[in-house]
């Protein structure tokens, strides 16, 4: 049986953790590098990643004047049509930032979580549009964590304000977006340098 034209999808086990090595006890095993949550992205900015003691950190120093992004993802390809709840949670820390809020495009933060999915109309939500006022109909789920208040053209859309260096436990039920298929779950750091953000654990539990 295909869903949204996709075959070979996995079914979920209620209450069981979907993500492998979700607490990074084995470093970044089971995870692959990405840019913009693309499963085919090259690890061209792998130096922004550090893993140790069960914590993943994305950091970029002042040596490069450009805005960059790098993250880790897992391809899950799950049929979630029968789910009553789809709980995504993460323990995250925004450590350093040169941007306020989620930047001028609502898609940059020291640390963020993201999910690529197909909705009830089989529309693929996989993008982070450059213009935050456009492309909302196909925008992926993305939530950035920041501590600096936005100024000027910066915004706080698609973000959660924290305190610098504070670990927070973030939880959201993705069922509100009516996903039919979840293809990718990931984490990242993005924006102008210097910046740093960390993830201690990320979880996806479906009931």
């Amino acid at each position: 049986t295909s869903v949204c034209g996709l075959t070979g999808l996995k079914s979920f086990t209620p209450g069981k953790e979907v993500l492998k090595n979700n607490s990074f006890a084995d470093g970044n095993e089971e995870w692959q590098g990405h840019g913009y949550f693309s499963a085919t992205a090259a690890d061209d900015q792998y130096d922004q990643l550090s893993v140790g003691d069960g914590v993943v950190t994305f950091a970029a120093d002042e040596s490069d004047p450009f805005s960059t992004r790098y993250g880790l993802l897992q391809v899950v390809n799950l049929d979630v049509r029968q789910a009553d709840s789809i709980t995504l949670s993460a323990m995250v820390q925004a450590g350093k930032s040169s941007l306020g809020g989620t930047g001028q495009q609502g898609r940059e933060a020291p640390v963020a979580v993201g999910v690529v999915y197909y909705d009830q109309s089989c529309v693929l939500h996989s993008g982070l549009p450059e213009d935050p006022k456009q492309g909302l109909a196909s925008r992926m789920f993305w939530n950035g964590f920041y501590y600096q208040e936005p100024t000027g053209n910066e915004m706080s859309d698609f973000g959660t304000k924290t305190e610098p260096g504070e670990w927070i436990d973030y939880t959201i039920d993705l069922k509100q977006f009516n996903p039919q298929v979840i293809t990718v779950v990931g984490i990242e750091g993005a924006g102008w340098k210097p910046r740093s953000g960390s993830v201690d654990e990320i979880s996806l539990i479906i009931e």
Side-chain angles (χ1 to χ4, degrees):
T1 302
S2 67
V3 183
C4 297
L6 304 174
T7 58
L9 297 174
K10 302 173 185 176
S11 58
F12 65 88
T13 301
K16 182 180 179 180
E17 176 60 53
V18 170
L19 301 175
K20 300 176 182 178
N21 188 30
N22 69 307
S23 62
F24 308 104
D26 296 319
N28 60 333
E29 289 187 20
E30 307 291 349
W31 296 85
Q32 65 185 88
H34 77 79
Y36 290 100
F37 293 85
S38 168
T40 59
D43 288 340
D44 59 341
Q45 296 181 45
Y46 186 80
D47 59 344
Q48 295 183 20
L49 170 70
S50 63
V51 185
D53 298 323
V55 176
V56 169
T57 297
F58 305 107
D61 60 30
E62 298 176 354
S63 61
D64 190 331
F66 301 103
S67 176
T68 58
R69 67 191 321 123
Y70 186 81
L72 297 174
L73 64 75
Q74 284 188 28
V75 178
V76 295
N77 289 334
L78 281 175
D79 179 350
V80 296
R81 290 175 296 169
Q82 303 303 314
D84 292 322
S85 65
I86 306 171
T87 304
L88 177 73
S89 61
M91 183 69 71
V92 299
Q93 178 197 72
K96 183 186 297 184
S97 178
S98 55
L99 280 176
T102 53
Q104 296 183 14
Q105 301 165 339
R107 60 177 185 173
E108 296 178 330
V111 63
V113 296
V115 176
V116 177
Y117 67 96
Y118 287 81
D119 67 18
Q120 72 274 24
S121 299
C122 288
V123 173
L124 174 60
H125 292 254
S126 62
L128 288 171
E130 184 173 345
D131 184 346
K133 297 179 181 179
Q134 303 293 327
L136 291 179
S138 60
R139 183 185 174 99
M140 64 182 290
F141 170 76
W142 182 93
N143 192 89
F145 303 89
Y146 67 92
Y147 62 84
Q148 291 199 59
E149 290 288 352
T151 59
N153 293 327
E154 296 171 340
M155 61 180 66
S156 59
D157 303 52
F158 314 109
T160 300
K161 190 175 187 297
T162 69
E163 296 297 325
E166 175 187 20
W167 285 101
I168 70 162
D169 190 359
Y170 172 79
T171 300
I172 187 171
D173 186 355
L174 299 174
K175 183 68 176 178
Q176 63 187 283
F177 303 111
N178 296 313
Q180 304 298 289
V181 175
I182 292 177
T183 60
V184 168
V185 178
I187 55 179
E188 72 167 4
W192 294 95
K193 307 174 180 182
R195 60 170 171 78
S196 67
S198 301
V199 183
D200 180 70
E201 183 176 20
I202 181 169
S203 172
L204 183 65
I205 302 289
I206 304 172
E207 300 280 3

